[in-house]
Amino acid sequence: MKRILATTAAALLALTTGLAVAGPATAAECPSGQFCVWQEANFGGQRANWSGDDGWWESWISDTDSSWANHGISGPGIKDHVRVYENAWQGGNMTICLAPGQEVGYNAAANDRGDSHIWATGC
Ligand SMILES: [Ca+2]
């Protein structure tokens, strides 16, 4: 009996471990319908999030953005992509563009450069 219990426990442990690995542990925490930006890579540090456009990011997130997630709602004719620009009011170069559902833990070209963003129908 003792041996059966031990085997069952081992099987349960293996099952639990497998589930933990398969789970969405890397998914960024960002509300549905919103565009989220973090000060640190891999969705760390303080987070900013918007449901609409912002032509002038708050000073604490301007030029400190290091990871991004687009949890916008997708659909026909809906502006579901997000374009980030290096200057206010979509000025300068576009640093990064995210498709709906896309999460970027780090991007060297876009790191610490964003100042504004708009929702768009494409990139
Ligand atoms: Ca940063």
Side-chain angles (χ1 to χ4, degrees):
M1 187 61 183
K2 217 171 200 174
R3 189 173 169 176
I4 294 168
L5 279 176
T7 308
T8 307
L12 275 174
L13 186 67
L15 184 69
T16 309
T17 308
L19 284 173
V21 171
T26 55
E29 223 169 273
C30 178
S32 178
Q34 307 222 345
F35 169 52
C36 297
V37 176
W38 289 260
Q39 286 189 308
E40 309 297 337
N42 298 315
F43 322 110
Q46 204 167 334
R47 184 192 78 193
N49 49 288
W50 301 267
S51 56
D53 301 343
D54 190 344
W56 194 320
W57 287 2
E58 296 286 320
S59 59
W60 65 267
I61 192 64
S62 292
D63 300 326
T64 67
D65 54 326
S66 294
S67 47
W68 309 262
N70 175 2
H71 284 190
I73 306 296
S74 196
I78 291 178
K79 291 180 176 178
D80 53 11
H81 290 62
V82 178
R83 298 177 178 186
V84 177
Y85 292 85
E86 64 175 345
N87 294 331
W89 309 110
Q90 295 81 53
N93 292 319
M94 187 169 73
T95 60
I96 195 168
C97 180
L98 286 89
Q102 191 177 358
E103 299 176 348
V104 179
Y106 183 75
N107 181 297
N111 189 50
D112 293 343
R113 289 181 64 204
D115 277 18
S116 64
H117 76 271
I118 53 164
W119 292 87
T121 52
C123 283

